[in-house]
Amino acid sequence: MSVQAKVPVDLLSDALDVLAAAVTISPAVPSTSHMVVRVDGLESPEVPGALGRYLVGAVAGAVGLDARLSEQLLARGVNRQEEIRREVAGLIGPTNAFPTADDRRFRDTRRNAWIGEGVAHALLMLGAMRETPCVDGQVQALTAVHPTTTRQGLDSVSAYVQAGVLGIAIGESKSTCSRASENLGDAIGLFVQIEQGEYQQDLRRELSAFRHVLSPDLAVQLRDSLWTDNASYLPMIVHQDPYNFMNPRPNLAGLAQPLQRRRVIVVQLAQFHAFFNAVADAMRAAVPEVVV
């Protein structure tokens, strides 16, 4: 008896299950200015393949605003497969060879940055499957991954619920081998700008889209003041070289949102470049599996 091949959305669901089993998200630990959430397990052998497959699915339209997988808008067919292959190559490069300074700049500032955003997106998707310490509640809606590495704006906006109360989480991801402190400072700067009144149109647009996917009891809680009344800030740093993320950060301490909702998500890798190379290889390999 032959075994029927799995449809793409089932492959993506399996990928999320692999990530959920491999990744450990430690409870949030308070410092004087923020909470620290550590994520381990991403360098498990099975993770790059699962993450690469998930990210191709996200690029190809399989991840909805409701933080669920769906085939409704998933790219299909040979022509679309070639289109997604080109998009993936534009995001991460056609190979992992970076012989020139410009090539390495692409790797460090574009490829790794986009994959790092993808790691954060996948962690938030796990937070939709079950409540995790990344967010102070369970994720109900999530913006799409950026379609290009140079798109300006917020890395992620998600809606979450805690005890029936809706909140939004705003994420900013940074990937750096050795400059964790500087990159965290850059990420914090975005949240300072938000509290100074910038990005209001971006937030209003994302929340407007969430109206159509949230349950009625949650959608009615969407309002213009939500990102000032009940927001979580989620700077995420993917790095290699040691840095003490418990160190106080005055700019974080000065933000209006309470300590519980200022969560620095930390992903430390033993082999930084090897991890990003493995995910990139997995993405290239996943295109014909996901887009059929």
Side-chain angles (χ1 to χ4, degrees), residues 22-220:
V23 171
T24 300
I25 305 174
S26 300
V29 177
S31 79
T32 57
S33 57
H34 58 278
M35 312 287 286
V36 175
V37 177
R38 299 190 180 275
V39 178
D40 296 298
L42 282 171
E43 289 180 289
S44 300
E46 66 273 24
V47 165
L51 184 59
R53 187 175 281 169
Y54 170 77
L55 291 178
V56 170
V59 171
V63 183
L65 280 177
D66 59 356
R68 297 180 183 179
L69 299 173
S70 171
E71 288 192 339
Q72 186 174 3
L73 294 178
L74 178 62
R76 292 182 176 87
V78 174
N79 291 339
R80 293 287 281 130
Q81 184 182 105
E82 184 56 32
E83 177 187 332
I84 298 301
R85 195 187 308 276
R86 290 194 301 269
E87 289 188 29
V88 166
L91 289 166
I92 63 172
T95 72
N96 292 336
F98 303 100
T100 70
D102 284 345
D103 291 333
R104 291 188 288 276
R105 189 175 301 110
F106 170 85
R107 176 196 66 188
D108 295 339
T109 65
R110 297 180 64 183
R111 184 198 74 166
N112 291 355
W114 189 88
I115 292 176
E117 287 184 30
V119 169
H121 198 274
L123 291 174
L124 289 169
M125 278 291 285
L126 296 184
M129 296 165 61
R130 66 179 190 277
E131 189 170 331
T132 75
C134 289
V135 182
D136 188 27
Q138 186 161 3
V139 174
Q140 306 292 308
L142 175 61
T143 53
V145 294
H146 282 171
T148 67
T149 55
T150 56
R151 179 175 173 179
Q152 300 299 309
L154 305 172
D155 284 354
S156 73
V157 179
S158 55
Y160 65 91
V161 64
Q162 179 65 265
V165 177
L166 187 70
I168 66 164
I170 304 166
E172 177 72 1
S173 304
K174 300 292 182 182
S175 295
T176 174
C177 186
S178 59
R179 301 167 69 180
S181 179
E182 180 181 338
N183 275 246
L184 176 57
D186 290 343
I188 294 168
L190 175 104
F191 305 112
V192 173
Q193 290 178 309
I194 288 171
E195 293 204 348
Q196 291 173 343
E198 299 186 39
Y199 295 99
Q200 293 194 45
Q201 291 301 324
D202 300 72
L203 289 163
R204 192 171 288 112
R205 180 177 60 250
E206 305 298 4
L207 266 60
S208 178
F210 288 167
R211 286 184 306 147
H212 305 290
V213 299
L214 292 172
S215 61
D217 60 311
L218 296 178
V220 74

Side-chain angles (χ1 to χ4, degrees), residues 236-258:
M236 187 190 81
I237 309 298
V238 182
H239 71 110
Q240 176 178 291
D241 293 357
Y243 171 71
N244 184 4
F245 284 89
M246 297 296 290
N247 289 338
R249 305 294 301 214
N251 285 347
L252 262 180
L255 295 174
Q257 298 300 329

Side-chain angles (χ1 to χ4, degrees), residues 220-231:
V220 74
Q221 298 182 45
L222 289 169
R223 57 190 182 279
D224 184 69
S225 61
L226 189 59
W227 58 84
T228 56
D229 293 346
N230 194 20

